[in-house]
Amino acid sequence: MTSTDSAAQQAPAKDPWDLPDVSGLVVGVIGGTGPQGKGLAYRLAVAGQKVIIGSRAADRARAAAEEIGHGVEGADNAETARRGDVVIVAVPWEGHGDTLTSLREELSGKLVVDCVNPLGFDKKGAYALKPEEGSAAEQAAALLPDSRVTAAFHHLSAVLLGDPEIAEIDTDVMVLGEARADVEIVQALAGRIAGMRGVFAGRLRNAHQVESLVANLISVNRRYKAHAGLRVTDV
């Protein structure tokens, strides 16, 4: 056994819950005027995060930011992408590809968090769609080759996120990505929201299952008149 082997054996394993301090990061939310984007912006801002919400129309974003309060700013999508250290994508699936393509330059080098769920709806309810790339997150990675793409925040109720009467949201956030450091930043951001944990859930190739599960949650919510979330046990 070499001294290198001995040192490797003695090195303690990193605690998976030892996450970075992300309190100083600026979070941009593309699609921040929609229910999911506004809700995430509100929760992160309440936790003390600096948040900028984006829209195709800057005036609309500024009006939504004023409504949210807590220091949230509004801007057009391009400025939001440029100013954010971490940029959450919360646009409707129908506009996902075009939006990201238009922001490729502004998102270069940025940590991008895709929370878009490709869904269809018919008289039987919600059902999952499978993009050509495999998932919305993988489509984002293909369209943004110079960005660091992760996936998270798929299973959160916009109603709960935006309700100021609810102090904590009892749920876990499944986080997927290729680089551990990027995933841990997103986990830490999720953990800033009262009641939440960010849990590593695999690489982007597993994002389709996570995105698709929203269709099941919609069915749960309709049957039980609920705003269901997820908890991962034994971790």
Side-chain angles (χ1 to χ4, degrees), residues 209-220:
Q209 301 94 291
V210 174
E211 296 168 3
S212 299
L213 189 56
V214 174
N216 302 89
L217 289 176
I218 291 172
S219 297
V220 170

Side-chain angles (χ1 to χ4, degrees), residues 6 32 46 117 158 189 214:
S6 178
V46 166
N117 302 303
L189 277 175
V214 174

Side-chain angles (χ1 to χ4, degrees), residues 98-174:
D98 289 343
T99 299
L100 294 183
T101 298
S102 71
L103 297 172
R104 181 176 295 157
E105 182 177 347
E106 290 82 0
L107 291 172
S108 177
K110 300 300 179 80
L111 174 53
V112 175
V113 186
D114 200 295
C115 67
V116 175
N117 302 303
L119 297 176
F121 296 86
D122 60 19
K123 63 183 180 180
K124 294 182 180 181
Y127 60 95
L129 303 175
K130 189 160 188 179
E132 181 179 348
E133 298 85 354
S135 64
E138 288 170 295
Q139 182 182 88
L143 293 173
L144 303 172
D146 298 320
S147 303
R148 297 136 52 208
V149 176
T150 61
F153 301 116
H154 301 90
H155 305 136
L156 306 181
S157 164
V159 173
L160 297 185
L161 286 173
D163 188 346
E165 299 299 316
I166 297 174
E168 296 187 0
I169 299 180
D170 180 25
T171 192
D172 286 332
V173 173
M174 302 178 78

